[in-house]
Amino acid sequence: MRQDIASVLLTEAEIKKRVAELGVQISQDYAGKDLVAICILKGALHFMADLTREIDIPLAIDFMAISSYGAGTKTSGEVRILQDLDAAIADRHVLIVEDIVDSGLTLKYLVDNLGSRRPASLRIVTLLDKPARRAVTISPDYNGFEIPDEFVVGYGLDFDEKYRNLPFIGVLKPEIYEK
Ligand code: IMP
Ligand code: MG
């Protein structure tokens, strides 16, 4: 698996440090509020697990599974809900937890969809932001790292469902997805 990685972009230690910082900030911003953190499956799984453990206030967690990719490295632009939330979010403070904002199409869809359910507030935290490829005007409220326009895997991010279990974020060798 590791031989398919061209370079390590973010080490385990760098991710851990930044996730802890985000946790402190979110704990301050949401103190006293009814917070629901929504993990966007599957990519945000690892980030969600680590981030919520760095948030020091009560919160609920919920999951939503969506798909916009197939096996390619670019979004199809067509977002589908594969699994919806368990609970209603009306009048609650909702934080969408995402792995990466690339074109922004997935997030735009989620913001429109969840926004129509009348939450008290709706914000986005993403581990990674690739602003170079943005196709719609949308920006995360909290961002772990801004990264260059390269296809990355690990820490939840996949190529063709693989590499999610790498503990770091790495750039995939182009020959893997150009095959
Ligand atoms: P967007 O709709 O183009 O912003 O794409 C968002 C989704 O595409 C993310 O939630 C990821 O699942 C996936 N994605 C975008 N860039 C990458 C990447 O570099 N590696 C792996 N998945 C990615
Ligand atoms: Mg994904």
Side-chain angles (χ1 to χ4, degrees):
M1 177 167 66
R2 293 182 190 228
Q3 71 277 6
D4 298 345
I5 303 301
S7 61
V8 175
L9 192 63
L10 298 165
T11 65
E12 243 184 297
E14 287 169 328
I15 296 169
K16 191 174 185 345
K17 178 168 175 280
R18 185 68 187 120
V19 170
E21 290 169 359
L22 288 171
V24 169
Q25 201 185 335
I26 290 166
S27 305
Q28 286 169 1
D29 294 355
Y30 286 92
K33 293 186 172 153
D34 179 19
L35 173 61
V36 189
I38 297 179
C39 175
I40 308 303
L41 294 170
K42 304 169 193 162
L45 172 69
H46 302 69
F47 179 42
M48 175 81 168
D50 288 342
L51 177 67
T52 52
R53 284 179 291 181
E54 298 289 352
I55 298 177
D56 201 21
I57 56 169
L59 58 79
I61 63 173
D62 209 335
F63 298 89
M64 194 158 172
I66 53 157
S67 118
S68 65
Y69 255 56
T73 61
K74 288 198 182 66
T75 185
S76 62
E78 190 190 302
V79 182
R80 283 188 306 139
I81 296 185
L82 306 178
Q83 180 195 314
D84 207 342
L85 302 175
D86 277 347
I89 55 169
D91 302 323
R92 310 179 74 186
H93 293 275
V94 172
L95 183 62
I96 299 174
V97 182
E98 253 290 31
D99 52 358
I100 185 167
V101 189
D102 188 24
S103 72
L105 290 166
T106 306
L107 215 45
K108 167 114 186 31
Y109 174 87
L110 284 171
V111 166
D112 291 347
N113 184 293
L114 297 177
S116 73
R117 305 183 198 190
R118 310 247 171 262
S121 70
L122 182 58
R123 284 187 185 168
I124 300 152
V125 56
T126 185
L127 179 69
L128 306 175
D129 187 5
K130 243 195 242 178
R133 300 194 358 121
R134 204 58 44 82
V136 289
T137 348
I138 197 159
S139 50
D141 301 280
Y142 306 94
N143 175 33
F145 303 91
E146 201 168 286
I147 64 162
D149 183 11
E150 283 180 292
F151 194 79
V152 294
V153 293
Y155 198 72
L157 290 122
D158 72 305
F159 171 66
D160 204 9
E161 294 300 328
K162 291 190 285 286
Y163 309 103
R164 294 192 196 274
N165 55 321
L166 284 171
F168 55 84
I169 306 262
V171 178
L172 193 61
K173 289 183 179 165
E175 67 233 43
I176 306 295
Y177 54 81
E178 281 161 6
K179 272 203 278 231

